[in-house]
Amino acid sequence: MKKKLALLLIAVLTAAIALTACGSGPVEPKEAADVAVNTIIYNKDTDKFKDVFGEDAANLQKEIKTGFKKGFTSSLNITDGSIDDEVDKLI
């Protein structure tokens, strides 16, 4: 009896995993590019970004802001944090 129950449980789990893998299909490259540009440049389509790329757009925007701030201050050779407020206003 326990073997039948275990086999039934394994069959149900296998079917559930197989059905989970059946998504809506891949996203067209043009649509993915449009969503990426709209999210990164224009701050639009942030809700679609997670559907297309599987990553939250807020994390990407945070990384972009941090990278801009580091790059901008290092290009000016000011790394002591004295202009952080002014750089934050640019972002």
Side-chain angles (χ1 to χ4, degrees), residues 1-69:
M1 183 70 173
K2 288 183 181 182
K3 287 183 180 183
K4 288 182 182 180
L5 183 62
L7 288 174
L8 179 64
L9 182 62
I10 291 172
V12 169
L13 287 175
T14 304
I17 291 171
L19 290 176
T20 303
C22 298
S24 61
V27 177
E28 292 295 320
K30 184 181 180 332
E31 181 185 353
D34 289 342
V35 169
V37 168
N38 286 340
T39 301
I40 295 168
I41 306 294
Y42 301 113
N43 201 24
K44 297 180 191 175
D45 294 339
T46 54
D47 54 335
K48 291 181 184 178
F49 190 83
K50 184 168 182 134
D51 295 336
V52 173
F53 296 103
E55 184 178 321
D56 191 19
N59 293 336
L60 175 68
Q61 291 169 334
K62 183 180 175 184
E63 289 176 19
I64 290 171
K65 287 179 182 180
T66 303
F68 173 80
K69 188 174 182 178

